[in-house]
Amino acid sequence: MAADILKFEKKEKPAVKRTASQAPGKTRFEALDILRGLFIIGMLLANNAGDWSHIWAPFDHAEWHGFTMTDLVFPGFMVCVGISMTLSMGRRMEDGGKAQMAVHIVRRAAILIALGLFLNLLPDFNFAMWRFPGVLQRIGLCYALAAGLVLIHSHAAGGKLVLHPRPLAIWAFGLLVGYVLLVKFVPVPGYGVNRFDPEGAWSSYIDRIIPGIHHIYQGGTNEKGQVVYDPEGLLSTFPAIFNILAGILIGLFIQKQTPARAVGGTLVAGLALVICALAMDGQVPIIKKLWTPSFALLTSGLAMIILSVLMLIMDKMGHTKWAMPIRVFGTNAILAYVFGWLFSVFMGVTGWTHHMIVFLTRLIPDPYAMSFAYALFILIVCWLFVLPFYLKKIFLKV
């Protein structure tokens, strides 16, 4: 059964660059691979600080209201998921039609959620405090809901799937508008309206009910140290769908344009979303841990801006060789993420985390630099693990 669910697919032909004007096929979208790789690198560095009391500033999240570049890596990866869907769903349509696609969507979402739940049980399998939300769980849920919208708002023509961007755009912004209306005008029981604090926000209130304080992130505390929210909670999953839908929409745009227009259009779209996010910040603050609409707009826009730069360098100008170390992660993103988590758990339960920190502290007295060095060590180990798969062109398929 496992071979039917999680499988490694070997590509017989080497990856080659793909320009915006090319139809999706067996060629790879170089800029997308590198963007995805950058975000996976960011996740691995952010998740593996050597000393959590001395996290190197560039790899720390905003305390609450505000933004750091580390806050971009997860939502940016979601944008990549959306772009990838525009490339893969057409092939799924050719293989078996909408019915087969629906089965694949459900199966893929279930696998991602199950993987996330399993990782959350490690290392002690404490079911009483089993955290239900998580990164992979959010990716799975958002992917399933966004893919469902794609199936609804598309039609088959000549054995291919034709997506309807207008209703998808309406859904994308409708989710954000609905979230804003809920927060601004519907009172949270016991707290009132317009609450964006850790305890009084709508998403935090729901997290404490579903799934309950024993099954959410135990680091999501208020000033009194009480567990009150989960950064990947249930309600905030809905605005997170925007990031995937934004990726789908920009992916559809890129496929229909010449390389030059694709670069310019992606850049303009990204700048427009960033401007909208900054304009909203006064009324709907940018808060990652609530995944506010302004945060969804900002991160989607920044991901598009970075993608446009990568498209210019790689897909239009053809400079691709420099990015090989990043591409290793980008072509096997889920494998790298899961291995990084498992290796970090292994280091912890065997005591090697402590030994490595002691060793690095002797070499690097500055605790912030040492913390970064430890994260870099985990990153290098993950890269060495994924490298043979890349060299043999074997990619994990979920």
Side-chain angles (χ1 to χ4, degrees), residues 133-285:
V135 169
L136 292 179
Q137 295 92 309
R138 171 157 288 181
I139 294 174
L141 284 172
C142 290
Y143 163 77
L145 293 170
L149 291 174
V150 167
L151 285 183
I152 293 170
H153 300 293
S154 62
H155 70 274
K160 296 183 179 180
L161 191 70
V162 179
L163 278 63
H164 305 157
R166 182 174 297 177
L168 292 177
I170 292 172
W171 271 106
F173 287 99
L175 286 167
L176 299 189
V177 171
Y179 193 92
V180 170
L181 293 176
L182 173 68
V183 172
K184 300 291 283 187
F185 300 108
V186 180
V188 181
Y191 295 94
V193 298
N194 203 29
R195 296 294 295 259
F196 292 96
D197 55 288
E199 188 170 357
W202 256 115
S203 57
S204 304
Y205 177 78
I206 291 177
D207 288 345
R208 296 194 295 272
I209 298 173
I210 308 171
I213 59 173
H214 296 300
H215 299 290
I216 60 176
Y217 177 55
Q218 296 302 293
T221 58
N222 58 12
E223 294 179 353
K224 299 177 182 179
Q226 300 168 321
V227 177
V228 294
Y229 75 92
D230 192 297
E232 282 82 46
L234 184 61
L235 182 64
S236 58
T237 295
F238 289 95
I241 299 170
F242 176 89
N243 291 75
I244 292 187
L245 291 175
I248 292 172
L249 292 168
I250 202 65
L252 292 174
F253 170 79
I254 289 170
Q255 290 181 50
K256 295 178 180 179
Q257 304 300 319
T258 63
R261 290 183 178 179
V263 170
T266 303
L267 176 62
V268 170
L271 289 171
L273 292 181
V274 169
I275 292 170
C276 288
L278 297 177
M280 287 180 64
D281 186 43
Q283 293 297 317
V284 181

Side-chain angles (χ1 to χ4, degrees), residues 1-243:
M1 282 296 292
D4 294 331
I5 298 175
L6 287 172
K7 64 179 180 179
F8 288 92
E9 181 178 286
K10 185 170 183 178
K11 301 292 185 182
E12 298 300 332
K13 295 181 180 180
V16 295
K17 70 171 184 171
R18 171 188 178 273
T19 62
S21 60
Q22 288 177 303
K26 293 186 178 180
T27 55
R28 299 199 67 92
F29 187 176
E30 287 280 3
L32 178 60
D33 282 340
I34 303 311
L35 184 65
R36 186 166 44 224
L38 287 172
F39 289 141
I40 286 295
I41 289 171
M43 287 186 190
L44 292 171
L45 290 173
N47 290 345
N48 293 286
D51 181 355
W52 290 100
S53 339
H54 299 88
I55 303 173
W56 195 41
F59 298 118
D60 198 5
H61 291 288
E63 186 67 25
W64 191 254
H65 179 201
F67 183 79
T68 71
M69 287 308 292
T70 299
D71 292 330
L72 173 61
V73 295
F74 180 23
F77 184 83
M78 300 271 275
V79 174
C80 293
V81 170
I83 299 172
S84 298
M85 288 169 64
T86 66
L87 304 176
S88 63
M89 294 190 80
R91 293 194 293 269
R92 292 282 172 190
M93 183 67 188
E94 294 175 6
D95 293 340
K98 279 195 173 185
Q100 185 63 33
M101 287 175 59
V103 171
H104 171 76
I105 290 166
V106 172
R107 183 177 66 181
R108 188 182 191 193
I111 292 170
L112 288 169
I113 293 169
L115 273 174
L117 289 171
F118 171 73
L119 294 179
N120 281 356
L121 272 176
L122 301 176
D124 53 7
F125 288 87
N126 183 356
F127 289 92
M129 301 296 291
W130 187 7
R131 183 191 174 200
F132 293 160
V135 169
L136 292 179
Q137 295 92 309
R138 171 157 288 181
I139 294 174
L141 284 172
C142 290
Y143 163 77
L145 293 170
L149 291 174
V150 167
L151 285 183
I152 293 170
H153 300 293
S154 62
H155 70 274
K160 296 183 179 180
L161 191 70
V162 179
L163 278 63
H164 305 157
R166 182 174 297 177
L168 292 177
I170 292 172
W171 271 106
F173 287 99
L175 286 167
L176 299 189
V177 171
Y179 193 92
V180 170
L181 293 176
L182 173 68
V183 172
K184 300 291 283 187
F185 300 108
V186 180
V188 181
Y191 295 94
V193 298
N194 203 29
R195 296 294 295 259
F196 292 96
D197 55 288
E199 188 170 357
W202 256 115
S203 57
S204 304
Y205 177 78
I206 291 177
D207 288 345
R208 296 194 295 272
I209 298 173
I210 308 171
I213 59 173
H214 296 300
H215 299 290
I216 60 176
Y217 177 55
Q218 296 302 293
T221 58
N222 58 12
E223 294 179 353
K224 299 177 182 179
Q226 300 168 321
V227 177
V228 294
Y229 75 92
D230 192 297
E232 282 82 46
L234 184 61
L235 182 64
S236 58
T237 295
F238 289 95
I241 299 170
F242 176 89
N243 291 75

